[in-house]
Amino acid sequence: MQEWLLPDEEATTALGRRLAGLVPGGLVINLHGDLGAGKTTFARAFLRALGVGERVKSPTYSLVEGYDLGERRAFHLDLYRIADPGELEWLGLDSLAEPGAIVLVEWPERGAGALPPVDLEIHFRHEATGRAVRFEPYTELGRRMLQGLAR
Ligand code: ADP
Ligand code: MG
């Protein structure tokens, strides 16, 4: 799939809302991109659209924030401050692997080996004053999400 242009913050937010509307059950999305590329902006819109009522904090310091969505649970991770995936052990990330869990991970490369298998990767980059994204599906579920998005 080619890149999508996100000319302003609202475009990033709209993408988050739209993808959230396509989530079937559990799902793992890894968010790649430099600082300021829009990963948290996307995650906030996505989680709000899933029904997270409370303010979505950036998990920069907590590393992981969990949200109860009735039957489902969502997790938002930011591993920027992790130096070694071994540091994740004490966080008890087992619940991320629950079948119904919806997981968003910023800086997933820093947690390599300690994270559940990814369904969809989103790569964000700066493009002029806006951003550009490209998608890489890793599972059938990820491919179906992209098909829904392209529609
Ligand atoms: P990250 O989590 O990748 O470090 P953030 O989402 O925290 O990035 O911050 C991105 C910044 O860029 C925010 O100030 C946000 O308002 C802005 N932003 C997000 N998407 C866009 C876009 N498509 N165009 C321009 N600015 C954007
Ligand atoms: Mg962030």
Side-chain angles (χ1 to χ4, degrees), residues 5-13 32-44 58 76 78 106-107 124 126-127 129-132:
L5 282 179
L6 305 172
D8 52 24
E9 181 178 350
E10 169 53 26
T12 306
T13 303
H32 291 271
D34 290 342
L35 283 175
K39 303 179 296 295
T40 301
T41 305
F42 168 90
R44 278 204 179 105
S58 175
H76 179 193
D78 180 346
E106 300 183 41
W107 300 97
F124 293 80
H126 287 77
E127 170 63 43
T129 59
R131 307 289 185 268

Side-chain angles (χ1 to χ4, degrees), residues 48-63:
R48 285 217 185 99
L50 283 181
V52 173
E54 55 202 290
R55 202 182 115 67
V56 180
K57 288 183 285 183
S58 175
T60 310
Y61 297 98
S62 56
L63 300 179

Side-chain angles (χ1 to χ4, degrees), residues 125-142:
R125 64 173 188 86
H126 287 77
E127 170 63 43
T129 59
R131 307 289 185 268
V133 276
R134 72 185 167 79
F135 305 93
E136 234 177 290
Y138 280 85
T139 61
E140 191 48 42
L141 181 55

